[in-house]
Amino acid sequence: MADLPDGTVSDPDEKIMRATYRALGDDGYADLTIKRIAEEYGKSTAAIHYHYDTKDDLLAAFLDYLLDRFVETIHEVETTDPEQRLDLLLDKLLVDPQDHQDLLVAVLEMRSQAPHTPAFAERFEANDEYIRFMLKTVVDHGIDQGVFREADADHVAKALMTIVDGARTRAVVLDDDEALATARRTAEEYVTATLLKEN
Amino acid sequence: MADLPDGTVSDPDEKIMRATYRALGDDGYADLTIKRIAEEYGKSTAAIHYHYDTKDDLLAAFLDYLLDRFVETIHEVETTDPEQRLDLLLDKLLVDPQDHQDLLVAVLEMRSQAPHTPAFAERFEANDEYIRFMLKTVVDHGIDQGVFREADADHVAKALMTIVDGARTRAVVLDDDEALATARRTAEEYVTATLLKEN
DNA sequence: CGTTTTTGACTAATTAGTCAGTAAGTACGA
DNA sequence: TCGTACTTACTGACTAATTAGTCAAAAACG
């Protein structure tokens, strides 16, 4: 998961996204204000409003920013062998984020706002659908190639996503840095039980 | 849940908790104000402050209120036969909340605040520990009685909690009323694979 | 009566957003 | 190479609304 090294960037939008990320990490969503973002940005609040008309606009853009980074890391998996590919995807979903607790916190905070913020809900739904599709596809390939057992690929994908989401929620809420590793093991057990052929 | 027939209660604290619940459900945590709670309460904001000194006090009390109701439903499971008891516990955790989407939303919002609000974090940790202990205990009993396979009861409990938390998060974020049922099936598959003896 | 509960008016701080004005570049033509 | 027009990025001062919390007094209760 590409981190935010704060390598000097000239793009104001990028800078504001990073400032928002820092402000959100420090204060939490409920206390996230334009003023705080402006402070992190090192400019006035009006400077923020110059780039984004409203706070809602900024937050929608910020969510796109977060989810884009997130999808990028998934794309790093290029292996095509189903069994190996599924393993690597699960690693990306459950091992990589280990060092980016701040990111997990920020994302969960925005997730919890989805029911009251349609702009958020749309984005999270699209993102979920996309990753679930990748999982379903690799399961389908595995079945077609005869390396996985006949299984309900759609359900397996949903089950794995549930484990991933549960792990992230627990990592954040319980401040448990073993939550992801535990879930990685659980996912492995689930894959073994439902997909792998005994031999 | 302790609703009186007409929802009327004389206890002011109980009334304020219900008012908070409604306000939170309508506006979300970020927009939750004393004024909005007072409106739901039908009294002035000062009336709220008479019962709770600060907003933080009120929210901590509210979280206790939520988690208490939550634990109560778990206590309804009195069956002692391990296999049946585990099934019923998972039903309570994954089927019952189906009709209480508002509650799931409210809880997730407060959960996401845990990293910034120690008072919340403590309560969620205690609650998680309690339910996880109930799961671990029933698994241990099953193993002792020879109806379950030898298994890492601690890990199984954590795995099931992960599935539960994932289902709840997904039900809220994706507004997916099948998320809990999907997770119920997943939990069943997991139990079958790790605990049940083949016969 | 006294105690509990509530009100209404208040404060001080904070909020998102506006606006006129100001630099500092960039493009382009002569 | 100078001058002019335009754009981008920003500031500082402002507004109008909203915020949590206070307090004296009044009402409601038992």
Side-chain angles (χ1 to χ4, degrees):
Chain A
M1 196 152 305
D3 46 352
L4 303 164
D6 214 76
T8 320
V9 185
S10 53
D11 181 16
D13 287 316
E14 173 71 22
K15 276 187 173 171
I16 291 175
M17 292 296 101
R18 293 185 187 193
T20 304
Y21 181 78
R22 290 194 298 275
L24 187 60
D26 286 354
D27 302 348
Y29 184 87
D31 295 327
L32 185 64
T33 64
I34 300 279
K35 191 189 170 200
R36 273 292 290 122
I37 297 170
E39 280 168 12
E40 292 290 341
Y41 186 35
K43 306 272 166 75
S44 67
T45 63
I48 303 287
H49 279 295
Y50 171 77
H51 292 282
Y52 300 92
D53 281 352
T54 67
K55 192 186 178 186
D56 285 347
D57 286 348
L58 191 159
L59 291 177
F62 178 67
L63 184 51
D64 283 334
Y65 173 81
L66 282 187
L67 293 181
D68 281 352
R69 312 195 121 230
F70 184 72
V71 164
E72 275 167 29
T73 72
I74 302 287
H75 281 156
E76 290 169 13
V77 177
E78 291 171 344
T79 319
T80 53
D81 169 66
E83 202 175 332
Q84 208 180 343
R85 181 175 171 80
L86 183 57
D87 257 21
L88 290 173
L89 283 175
L90 290 173
D91 279 347
K92 284 291 173 193
L93 292 169
L94 286 170
V95 179
D96 254 41
Q98 202 109 33
D99 329 307
H100 304 280
Q101 182 81 358
D102 289 0
L103 194 72
L104 288 181
V105 172
V107 171
L108 185 65
E109 290 186 304
M110 303 199 75
R111 281 189 138 198
S112 77
Q113 292 304 311
H116 308 102
T117 312
F120 288 7
E122 291 164 21
R123 285 164 168 85
F124 281 118
E125 268 165 51
N127 181 262
D128 182 78
E129 214 167 307
Y130 181 74
I131 296 173
R132 221 175 54 230
F133 178 77
M134 292 195 80
L135 289 174
K136 175 182 167 7
T137 301
V138 64
V139 171
D140 276 332
H141 283 174
I143 295 172
D144 288 348
Q145 294 178 21
V147 297
F148 288 158
R149 298 222 301 274
E150 293 292 332
D152 182 345
D154 215 75
H155 172 70
V156 170
K158 281 181 187 168
L160 292 175
M161 289 300 283
T162 301
I163 293 170
V164 169
D165 284 336
R168 288 174 179 170
T169 299
R170 293 177 68 75
V172 169
V173 176
L174 307 175
D175 192 29
D176 177 3
D177 33 273
E178 287 173 44
L180 292 166
T182 298
R184 183 67 187 84
R185 179 176 160 196
T186 304
E188 198 61 49
E189 292 165 340
Y190 185 79
V191 166
T192 303
T194 60
L195 294 180
L196 297 191
K197 298 180 166 179
E198 37 250 291
N199 51 354
Chain B
M1 318 243 166
D3 300 274
L4 295 186
D6 57 349
T8 310
V9 179
S10 53
D11 182 15
D13 287 316
E14 173 72 22
K15 274 187 176 172
I16 292 174
M17 291 297 102
R18 294 187 186 191
T20 305
Y21 180 76
R22 290 193 298 276
L24 186 59
D26 286 353
D27 303 347
Y29 184 88
D31 296 326
L32 185 64
T33 64
I34 300 279
K35 191 190 170 198
R36 273 291 291 123
I37 297 170
E39 280 167 12
E40 293 289 341
Y41 185 37
K43 307 270 167 78
S44 67
T45 62
I48 303 287
H49 278 294
Y50 172 75
H51 292 280
Y52 299 92
D53 281 353
T54 68
K55 192 185 176 186
D56 285 348
D57 286 349
L58 190 160
L59 291 178
F62 179 67
L63 183 51
D64 283 334
Y65 173 81
L66 282 186
L67 294 181
D68 281 353
R69 309 194 121 226
F70 188 71
V71 164
E72 275 167 30
T73 72
I74 303 287
H75 280 155
E76 292 169 12
V77 176
E78 290 172 343
T79 319
T80 53
D81 169 64
E83 201 175 331
Q84 207 181 343
R85 181 175 171 79
L86 182 56
D87 258 21
L88 290 173
L89 283 175
L90 289 173
D91 280 346
K92 285 290 173 193
L93 292 169
L94 286 170
V95 178
D96 253 41
Q98 203 109 32
D99 328 306
H100 304 283
Q101 181 79 358
D102 290 359
L103 193 74
L104 289 181
V105 172
V107 171
L108 185 66
E109 290 186 306
M110 303 199 76
R111 281 189 139 198
S112 77
Q113 292 303 311
H116 307 102
T117 312
F120 289 6
E122 291 164 20
R123 286 164 168 85
F124 281 118
E125 268 164 53
N127 181 261
D128 182 78
E129 215 168 307
Y130 181 75
I131 296 173
R132 220 175 55 233
F133 178 77
M134 291 195 79
L135 289 174
K136 176 181 164 12
T137 302
V138 65
V139 171
D140 275 332
H141 282 173
I143 295 172
D144 288 348
Q145 294 179 22
V147 298
F148 288 159
R149 299 220 303 273
E150 292 292 331
D152 182 344
D154 215 76
H155 172 70
V156 170
K158 281 181 187 169
L160 292 175
M161 289 300 281
T162 302
I163 293 171
V164 168
D165 284 337
R168 288 174 178 169
T169 298
R170 294 177 67 74
V172 169
V173 176
L174 307 175
D175 192 29
D176 178 3
D177 32 273
E178 287 173 43
L180 293 166
T182 298
R184 185 64 188 84
R185 178 176 160 195
T186 304
E188 198 60 48
E189 291 164 342
Y190 184 79
V191 166
T192 303
T194 60
L195 293 180
L196 297 191
K197 298 182 167 178
E198 37 251 291
N199 51 352

